[in-house]
Amino acid sequence: MKLIIGIIIVLIGVFIVLKKRNIEKTKSYKWNLENKNLKTDFTNILSKNPNLEYLIVEFDSYYIQYKGFIKSKEFYSEIVSNEFLDKKNQYSENQKNGIFSLGFLEPQKKDSDGNISPNYSKWYGAKSKNEIDLIFNELIKILESIYGLKKGTEIKLRW
């Protein structure tokens, strides 16, 4: 009987530890074939996790990442910069201008709070569903106009 109680206590302890640990989740989508599912999952992740540690959107050799801040109800976003890309994958001037046209700051430039990132960076409000939809709509613009993703390209969400 003591052995069974001991095993149950150990199992409860293991369960508590596993529950407290952040276990990374990953989900993949095919560009222009599963965009509705991508939108649903992306907006749900942001909506349900205002203190999100990270959400990374990966495709080809690129990534866009988001981090939530619950107190200010904002998400911070970064687009990988040329500093982290192979020579063949670096952005053209047109791609850089497209990133700037969406309000992203240049790498190594201070934002209004004095933060500096090695990547292109931007703050988004996240106080409403409309603001979260705007974040997704800009993600789609980035994928279409900056990267020109081809139909069927794998897009991975990690959070």
Side-chain angles (χ1 to χ4, degrees):
M1 184 66 163
K2 287 183 182 181
L3 179 63
I4 293 173
I5 292 173
I7 291 171
I8 291 172
I9 291 171
V10 168
L11 288 174
I12 290 171
V14 168
F15 177 73
I16 290 170
V17 168
L18 289 175
K19 188 169 173 95
K20 286 185 179 182
R21 283 182 39 195
N22 276 342
I23 298 171
E24 184 175 276
K25 298 175 187 168
T26 303
K27 200 158 182 190
S28 295
Y29 308 84
K30 297 290 183 194
W31 176 248
N32 273 348
L33 300 172
E34 298 177 290
N35 286 10
K36 187 175 181 180
N37 293 339
L38 174 63
K39 179 179 184 175
T40 299
D41 292 343
F42 181 91
T43 57
N44 281 340
I45 291 165
L46 294 187
S47 298
K48 293 177 181 177
N49 299 285
N51 203 29
L52 185 69
E53 279 300 313
Y54 64 90
L55 170 59
I56 300 173
V57 181
E58 294 177 311
F59 48 96
D60 296 335
S61 298
Y62 303 98
Y63 65 86
I64 303 166
Q65 55 192 7
Y66 300 87
K67 166 137 181 53
F69 292 86
I70 198 165
K71 284 185 182 180
S72 61
K73 294 186 180 172
E74 293 176 296
F75 282 96
Y76 177 73
S77 178
E78 291 185 337
I79 297 175
V80 64
S81 71
N82 281 344
E83 180 179 338
F84 303 103
L85 295 173
D86 294 337
K87 194 84 168 156
K88 66 177 179 150
N89 293 319
Q90 293 197 350
Y91 301 114
S92 67
E93 286 304 311
N94 282 343
Q95 287 174 305
K96 289 180 193 176
N97 289 334
I99 292 169
F100 297 140
S101 75
L102 293 171
F104 281 82
L105 293 177
E106 196 172 336
Q108 307 302 340
K109 298 286 181 186
K110 286 184 181 181
D111 67 14
S112 59
D113 294 327
N115 301 310
I116 297 175
S117 171
N119 292 312
Y120 299 95
S121 60
K122 180 176 180 174
W123 287 91
Y124 290 97
K127 296 178 178 124
S128 69
K129 181 182 178 334
N130 286 343
E131 289 180 315
I132 289 174
D133 285 344
L134 170 76
I135 297 170
F136 179 77
N137 292 335
E138 281 201 3
L139 171 64
I140 294 300
K141 276 185 195 172
I142 292 165
L143 297 175
E144 287 177 341
S145 63
I146 308 301
Y147 298 105
L149 288 189
K150 291 179 177 61
K151 188 175 187 175
T153 300
E154 183 181 47
I155 299 171
K156 219 182 261 187
L157 295 185
R158 288 191 302 122
W159 73 99

